[in-house]
Amino acid sequence: MTQHAQEASDNYKGVWDGRIGFGKKAALLVVDFMQGYTTPGSPLYAPGVVEAVARMPRLLVAAREARVPVIHTNILYQAPDQGDGGIWVKKAPVMRTMVPGNPYATFCEEVIPSDDELVITKQYASAFFGTSLASTLVAMGVDTLILTGCSTSGCIRATAVDGLQHGFRVMVVRDCVGDRHPAPHEANLFDIDSKYGDVVSLDETLDHLRHD
């Protein structure tokens, strides 16, 4: 831990360091693990996402064996002008590549959804905004969201905040989220762990799935 990180941790201690833990029923949410983030040369390419995707098969196997619901999200816009992306695609025009037929908008091979797994398409950062995710989780009786995907500083943070605000216990698997640079990755994990959910290791999550 760097001196700056230690100072932040000490400053938050006893104020913003509560833990909520896993609840009674979890769902695994896999956010936007698409090839645009893992293909060298893509404007969205993020080494941290490549590493996170590589760790996902173990978690997916454990969740499926435990019969934990697995939900995937992707980002897709309507061609040719991506008008359903609103202001976001104006702020971040790099997202305009996420259209049907573009290889960058396809799932990474390591996390391809099974035929019986739900895929929710979104246009904005949070997996909850403008989607049926919250209603779906409630209907399933889920109280805990195991959150994985990319990017940590964007869609993961936004989903974590909205997950808390919709009444779910948000558990972010540190090993299975990624970003294009370690600084925003670590800063946002710090914020999420302090205020919006618990940041947990892959091993902790696997242990919970195996013994729940």
Side-chain angles (χ1 to χ4, degrees):
M1 185 180 292
T2 66
Q3 180 179 351
H4 181 74
Q6 185 62 59
E7 290 174 353
S9 179
D10 291 344
N11 180 271
Y12 275 48
K13 188 175 182 180
V15 180
W16 294 108
D17 60 355
R19 308 296 287 175
I20 51 175
F22 290 90
K24 295 180 179 180
K25 182 175 181 178
L28 172 61
L29 183 62
V30 186
V31 176
D32 300 348
F33 270 150
M34 296 178 290
Q35 293 187 26
Y37 294 97
T38 60
T39 302
S42 164
L44 287 167
Y45 177 71
V49 176
V50 176
E51 296 170 2
V53 168
R55 300 184 186 108
M56 280 299 300
R58 291 177 62 202
L59 182 54
L60 282 169
V61 168
R64 289 162 178 163
E65 289 180 347
R67 299 188 180 279
V68 166
V70 179
I71 301 173
H72 305 256
T73 74
N74 60 359
I75 297 177
L76 284 177
Y77 299 112
Q78 185 174 339
D81 61 358
Q82 299 81 49
D84 51 344
I87 299 299
W88 195 20
V89 297
K90 298 181 187 301
K91 173 67 176 177
V94 66
M95 300 304 298
R96 292 183 182 275
T97 59
M98 296 300 176
V99 294
N102 190 320
Y104 290 163
T106 60
F107 286 107
C108 297
E109 292 184 3
E110 297 90 339
V111 297
I112 292 176
S114 297
D115 291 340
D116 61 345
E117 292 173 352
L118 182 63
V119 176
I120 292 178
T121 296
K122 63 189 184 69
Q123 283 77 40
Y124 290 88
S126 171
F128 288 94
F129 183 79
T131 76
S132 62
L133 179 59
S135 298
T136 299
L137 295 173
V138 169
M140 290 177 172
V142 166
D143 65 355
T144 301
L145 195 63
I146 300 173
L147 183 53
T148 65
C150 65
S151 64
T152 315
S153 60
C155 297
I156 296 304
R157 183 190 177 108
T159 300
V161 173
D162 277 359
L164 170 76
Q165 292 173 157
H166 278 88
F168 299 101
R169 297 168 180 260
V170 179
M171 314 298 288
V172 177
V173 186
R174 168 182 286 275
D175 312 82
C176 296
V177 295
D179 214 307
R180 62 188 298 126
H181 191 279
H185 171 74
E186 291 297 336
N188 281 274
L189 286 178
F190 181 88
D191 284 347
I192 291 169
D193 194 53
S194 299
K195 299 178 180 178
Y196 308 116
D198 292 356
V199 175
V200 295
S201 70
L202 175 57
D203 286 341
E204 288 177 85
T205 308
L206 293 173
D207 185 67
H208 172 77
L209 292 174
R210 291 166 181 160
H211 298 100
D212 183 39

